[in-house]
Amino acid sequence: MNDLVRQHTALGETDLEWLHLLVSEWQLLSDLSFADLVLWVPTLDGTRYVSVAQMRPNTGPTSYQDDMVGHLVPRGRRPLLDAALDEGRIVREGDPEWREEVPVRVESIPVRREGRVLGVIARNTNLLTVRTPSRLELTYLQSASDLAQMIAAGSFPFPGQQVDMDASPRVGDGLIRLDADGVVTYASPNALSAYHRLGLASDLVGQHLGTITAELAPSRGPVDEALVKLASGWAPRETEVDGNGGVIQLRAIPLKPKGTRIGSLVLCRDVTELRRRERELITKDATIREIHHRVKNNLQTVAALLRLQSRRMDSPQGREALNEAVRRVGSIAIVHETLSQNLDERVEFDEIADRVIAMVSEISPGKVDCRRTGRFGILDAEVATPLSMVLTEILQNALEHAFTQGERGTVEVAAIRTGTGRTDGRLLITVLDDGSGLPEGFDPQRAGNLGLQIVRTLVEGELGGTFDMLRAEPRGTKVVLDIPSSPQK
């Protein structure tokens, strides 16, 4: 719509925002009217109309099989559009049009903002299945007529009341019509069922909706008065009412077709099961986070015990082996600590990589600068846990074997992520040091070092990637990892 309005019309940005607000709301008008809606805006030179938006009803058959957005129509071809635009009134004159052997009633509703008519809504009703309307259909049509008059007067949609139609109740979920005093004149079967879920034992018609709603909801002190006003439809508001084990969502729409409030529409939806599932998910998420937190604590306890044991070791080799085990356990603990703070089983691995680098840097015998470039991004826990161990082993190996006591140097961890999707991406990780380099005849695929064995097993077995160690130029060692950025099934 933005492109069509800016390319073909003279409307400004504030006018465009008003059209967006209208389009966010007009599913309501379409459903109440049982009709298709097409928004036509006059072109810059005033000789044509361009259709910038279209809506089909959920409550009846469509009148348009084709997409009308982007169509251009010369002025004069559709007299109802001309009359609505020029006279600023709703136009219903004329016989039904026939489209592919389907009779269609066409009406035109001017879209007004601050006294100016910005465009015209063509309301097209498929008459093929016309029959004697029920009480529900008559209420729908009367409500649609009131909303159409408000659009023509510039009082609907309500400024500053952007509605999320995916989350808000819709016409078919349940509709209640109130008079000017807030008394129910009609309640659809779905609306009545929703209130029965709250504990209502009687009919809604003839009841003051605000009062009955406040009585069904738990006592909230001063909030009850606000709930009474909201459910009475005095202002455009949304809320949820929780009572008797049920939860319903309410949306109030004041009706002022001629500038004076004549009543209200209240849309309602039973969201009891939805909220129950949400609570279950929240409980499950909290349980998973608590498990990660306890695993982290247990790992830290194991690391502390290993550290105590290493201090009692007389053998330098044994002490160093235990210290390496402490760092391995610590790298896993970092991942679980991060997972304990998240709502899902995914982590921002850059933070983990930085903490692993800082942890391993403590063992450096020289003045080595360890740094990270590039971004790992968000990874699943199934990738993050083995990758943190792999990174720990590679960095330990570089700091222990590449530099001598007091020697200065650098170790750089570079990450490049490719692919746009969650399942087709890969991570290319390079760990480059400027130390002494690999000894002659060294084969990283056969080396018996425990750390390299761990790396090979995790990279090739768990992560499904490749691992290699090369001589760097002019000196040093380069480790290259190429792994999928998502778990391998």
Side-chain angles (χ1 to χ4, degrees):
M1 186 166 71
N2 286 352
D3 294 339
L4 289 170
V5 169
R6 289 166 181 158
Q7 180 182 353
H8 294 285
T9 78
L11 298 183
E13 292 300 315
T14 53
D15 294 331
L16 180 56
E17 286 301 316
W18 183 261
L19 295 185
H20 274 293
L21 189 60
L22 172 66
V23 168
S24 73
E25 291 272 27
W26 71 343
Q27 180 73 64
L28 173 64
L29 178 62
S30 178
D31 289 346
L32 290 172
S33 304
F34 309 96
D36 290 73
L37 306 178
V38 180
L39 177 57
W40 297 92
V41 180
T43 57
L44 185 61
D45 58 10
T47 62
R48 296 181 296 176
Y49 298 97
V50 58
S51 58
V52 298
Q54 179 179 1
M55 178 58 66
R56 292 183 172 90
N58 294 316
T59 51
T62 183
S63 302
Y64 286 111
Q65 299 299 326
D66 300 326
D67 187 0
M68 295 297 296
V69 175
H71 282 218
L72 290 164
V73 174
R75 185 178 171 87
R77 180 174 295 178
R78 300 195 177 182
L80 297 187
L81 293 182
D82 298 339
L85 183 69
D86 297 339
E87 301 172 23
R89 65 181 179 88
I90 299 174
V91 182
R92 295 190 177 93
E93 298 90 353
D95 296 325
E97 296 180 2
W98 287 85
R99 299 174 188 165
E100 300 179 357
E101 300 183 355
V102 175
V104 176
R105 181 175 63 241
V106 181
E107 305 166 83
S108 295
I109 305 167
V111 177
R112 192 184 304 273
R113 174 181 175 269
E114 296 181 352
R116 296 167 46 242
V117 177
L118 307 182
V120 179
I121 294 176
R123 181 163 56 176
N124 303 269
T125 307
N126 187 324
L127 300 177
L128 196 61
T129 57
V130 168
R131 54 183 172 77
T132 303
S134 65
R135 177 75 187 281
L136 179 144
E137 291 167 331
L138 290 172
T139 304
Y140 276 21
L141 292 171
Q142 181 57 54
S143 302
S145 177
D146 294 335
L147 285 177
Q149 292 183 57
M150 291 170 65
I151 291 173
S155 57
F156 186 84
F158 303 109
Q161 293 290 324
Q162 188 81 27
V163 175
D164 182 1
M165 291 306 298
D166 292 332
S168 294
R170 299 198 176 197
V171 170
D173 295 326
L175 179 141
I176 301 171
R177 176 88 186 213
L178 308 180
D179 64 15
D181 296 323
V183 175
V184 178
T185 59
Y186 176 79
S188 72
N190 284 347
L192 188 58
S193 296
Y195 266 80
H196 285 167
R197 191 71 177 263
L198 285 182
L200 179 69
S202 61
D203 195 2
L204 272 174
V205 175
Q207 305 262 23
H208 188 279
L209 188 65
T211 302
I212 200 72
T213 303
E215 290 174 354
L216 293 171
S219 178
R220 300 177 185 174
V223 179
D224 285 347
E225 183 178 347
L227 182 59
V228 169
K229 293 192 67 175
L230 187 148
S232 300
W234 286 95
R237 295 287 187 274
E238 288 192 41
T239 192
E240 285 191 4
V241 181
D242 190 340
N244 196 39
V247 184
I248 66 170
Q249 192 176 16
L250 297 180
R251 182 189 176 199
I253 304 168
L255 297 176
K256 304 177 182 180
K258 296 182 180 179
T260 303
R261 182 174 170 276
I262 63 167
S264 306
L265 281 182
V266 177
L267 304 180
C268 60
R269 178 170 62 170
D270 184 350
V271 292
T272 305
E273 293 304 313
L274 178 63
R275 296 296 176 257
R276 182 184 64 80
R277 288 195 297 270
E278 287 178 352
R279 286 193 291 269
E280 288 178 352
L281 287 173
I282 291 172
T283 302
K284 179 181 177 182
D285 289 340
T287 302
I288 291 172
R289 289 199 299 273
E290 178 62 21
I291 290 171
H292 284 302
H293 182 71
R294 293 188 182 187
V295 170
K296 183 263 296 185
N297 288 344
N298 290 338
L299 289 172
Q300 288 180 338
T301 301
V302 171
L305 292 173
L306 291 173
R307 200 175 290 113
L308 286 172
Q309 186 66 41
S310 72
R311 292 171 185 167
R312 295 173 177 268
M313 293 287 292
D314 296 327
S315 167
Q317 292 86 354
R319 188 181 304 116
E320 181 55 33
L322 287 175
N323 287 334
E324 286 185 2
V326 167
R327 288 188 287 273
R328 287 167 184 150
V329 172
S331 66
I332 302 175
I334 290 173
V335 177
H336 282 281
E337 181 181 4
T338 306
L339 287 169
S340 70
Q341 300 168 0
N342 290 357
L343 294 176
D344 56 17
E345 292 289 287
R346 308 190 76 203
V347 294
E348 176 63 64
F349 196 79
D350 295 306
E351 177 186 349
I352 293 174
D354 291 340
R355 293 180 63 181
V356 167
I357 291 171
M359 177 182 68
V360 179
S361 296
E362 296 175 0
I363 70 169
S364 172
K367 299 179 180 178
V368 180
D369 176 28
C370 292
R371 59 175 180 267
R372 172 182 62 84
T373 61
R375 293 194 71 249
F376 290 86
I378 297 176
L379 299 177
D380 291 290
E382 297 169 68
V383 175
T385 301
L387 183 57
S388 66
M389 287 194 65
V390 167
L391 196 57
T392 300
E393 296 299 331
I394 293 173
L395 289 171
Q396 278 189 172
N397 191 71
L399 292 173
E400 288 179 354
H401 302 294
F403 304 98
T404 59
Q405 187 70 35
E407 183 181 4
R408 292 182 177 274
T410 59
V411 177
E412 180 180 293
V413 179
I416 299 175
R417 190 160 182 168
T418 61
T420 56
R422 183 171 173 178
T423 59
D424 63 351
R426 297 194 72 82
L427 263 174
L428 181 63
I429 305 166
T430 304
V431 181
L432 179 66
D433 68 69
D434 56 1
S436 57
L438 297 174
E440 290 294 334
F442 180 82
D443 184 358
Q445 302 302 330
R446 296 187 179 182
N449 179 291
L450 175 60
L452 291 181
Q453 288 181 10
I454 292 174
V455 170
R456 285 197 300 269
T457 301
L458 292 177
V459 171
E460 297 171 1
E462 287 201 35
L463 296 174
T466 60
F467 156 72
D468 200 6
M469 293 182 73
L470 310 166
R471 285 182 177 273
E473 296 296 337
R475 59 171 293 178
T477 304
K478 179 166 70 172
V479 179
V480 180
L481 305 175
D482 185 358
I483 63 172
S485 58
S486 59
Q488 298 303 290
K489 304 301 183 185

